[in-house]
């Protein structure tokens, strides 16, 4: 496992949920401007539905039909490739017709029907696929996720999919922290090495890993510990993460979803430059110890 390849850093960034067209375009255009000229492959992300809200009254988004139209507008007006998540196997096909990157949410990462539908749709439409490792799984448990995706790939393509993209693969895993007691997540830095040993790029989710699920006022919303985001993201880059997932917002205090852990939009460019420097330094270090044969050696 190489800590970092020569491929551009993958960055998945945008608001948690589609709030309105004006805000979405503001964020997309600002991200594109701040990251111009950097060795970063940017995917704009936003959810059309947040199906796992803490409260029944939590804002969920505009829904799939309206949301996909809005994401199409973002792609058309900015030229940015798009990532969004989906929540039922039936949604995989219509989502894959629009976006460039499908995402399976962490809570659904063990649902075989979700993974199979996602892999089939991604392969059919030549899309990328990101599956978030659930906060209830150890990193070595992710090999079962990989095996499910590869089984679909083998059946549809007769072997590993020939890469048509500029980076290492079409299929990614994301580390978003592991449950560590009530309302608390912890990021185990060996996750990146362990999951990369399964032959997939691994992304670090910098904003969901600092969530405090149900930790908002009255237990009706998600809280967050934004003050730890920078330290954890820097550590993840040093530990070998291939990219970063980071929700951002120009005004997190009024965001309709996950505001307490969203990164301030105005600082994204400066922060990514810091992370690129870390990646550059770490890439120069030789590996001194042998790799684990597989993730099972790590527990």
């Amino acid at each position: 496992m190489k800590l970092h390849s020569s491929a551009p850093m993958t960055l998945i960034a945008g608001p948690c949920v589609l709030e309105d067209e004006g805000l979405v375009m503001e964020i997309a255009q600002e991200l594109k401007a701040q990251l111009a000229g950097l060795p970063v492959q940017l995917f704009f992300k936003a959810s059309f539905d947040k199906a796992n809200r803490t409260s029944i009254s939590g804002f969920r988004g505009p829904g799939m039909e309206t949301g996909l139209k809005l994401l199409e507008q973002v792609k058309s007006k900015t030229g940015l490739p798009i990532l969004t998540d989906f929540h039922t196997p039936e949604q995989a096909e219509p989502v894959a017709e629009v976006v460039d990157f499908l995402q399976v949410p962490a809570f659904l990462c063990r649902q075989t029907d979700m993974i199979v539908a996602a892999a089939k749709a991604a392969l059919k439409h030549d899309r990328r696929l990101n599956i978030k490792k659930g906060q209830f799984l150890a990193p070595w448990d992710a090999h079962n996720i990989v095996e499910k995706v590869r089984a679909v790939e083998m059946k549809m393509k007769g072997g590993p999919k020939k890469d048509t993209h500029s980076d290492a693969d079409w299929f990614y895993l994301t580390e978003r922290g592991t449950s560590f007691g009530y309302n608390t997540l912890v990021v185990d830095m060996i996750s990146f090495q362990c999951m990369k040993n399964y032959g997939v790029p691994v992304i670090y989710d910098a904003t969901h890993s600092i969530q405090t699920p149900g930790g908002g006022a009255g237990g009706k919303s998600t809280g967050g510990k934004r003050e730890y985001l920078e330290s954890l993201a820097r550590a993840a880059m040093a530990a070998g993460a291939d990219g970063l997932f980071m929700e951002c917002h120009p005004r997190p205090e009024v965001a309709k979803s996950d505001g307490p852990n969203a990164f301030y939009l105005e600082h994204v460019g400066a922060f990514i430059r810091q992370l690129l420097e870390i990646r550059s330094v770490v890439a120069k270090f030789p590996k001194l110890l042998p790799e684990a044969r597989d993730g099972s050696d790590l527990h």
Side-chain angles (χ1 to χ4, degrees), residues 221-242:
S221 63
T222 293
K225 298 179 179 179
R226 188 186 295 112
E227 62 271 24
Y228 300 127
L229 186 153
E230 293 171 272
S231 296
L232 285 170
R234 291 178 185 130
M237 292 301 110
D242 295 291

Side-chain angles (χ1 to χ4, degrees), residues 104-176:
V104 175
F107 282 124
L108 300 175
C109 74
R110 286 192 61 174
Q111 298 300 107
T112 301
D113 288 348
M114 281 287 293
I115 294 175
V116 170
K120 284 182 176 179
L123 289 164
K124 176 181 176 181
H125 295 277
D126 196 26
R127 308 303 195 191
R128 290 178 171 86
L129 170 62
N130 184 37
I131 300 181
K132 290 192 172 184
K133 178 184 72 64
Q135 49 270 61
F136 44 84
L137 293 179
W140 42 86
D141 294 328
H143 78 90
N144 292 308
I145 299 172
V146 175
E147 287 180 358
K148 291 176 183 180
V149 172
R150 297 305 185 200
V152 175
E153 184 179 44
M154 183 67 69
K155 185 174 181 179
M156 291 185 66
K157 300 293 183 179
K161 179 177 179 286
K162 292 183 179 180
D163 183 37
T164 58
H165 302 300
S166 60
D167 54 359
D169 206 346
W170 66 283
F171 165 44
Y172 299 62
L173 291 172
T174 289
E175 170 60 57
R176 51 96 13 102

Side-chain angles (χ1 to χ4, degrees), residues 1 7 42 54 58 60 77 89 105 108 171 224 237 255 285 296:
M1 186 235 13
L42 171 63
T54 302
R60 290 184 55 165
K77 293 180 180 179
L108 300 175
F171 165 44
M237 292 301 110
F285 295 158
S296 64

Side-chain angles (χ1 to χ4, degrees), residues 84-95:
T84 199
D85 44 6
F86 67 101
H87 306 280
T88 67
E90 295 75 22
Q91 291 179 341
E93 179 67 21
V95 169

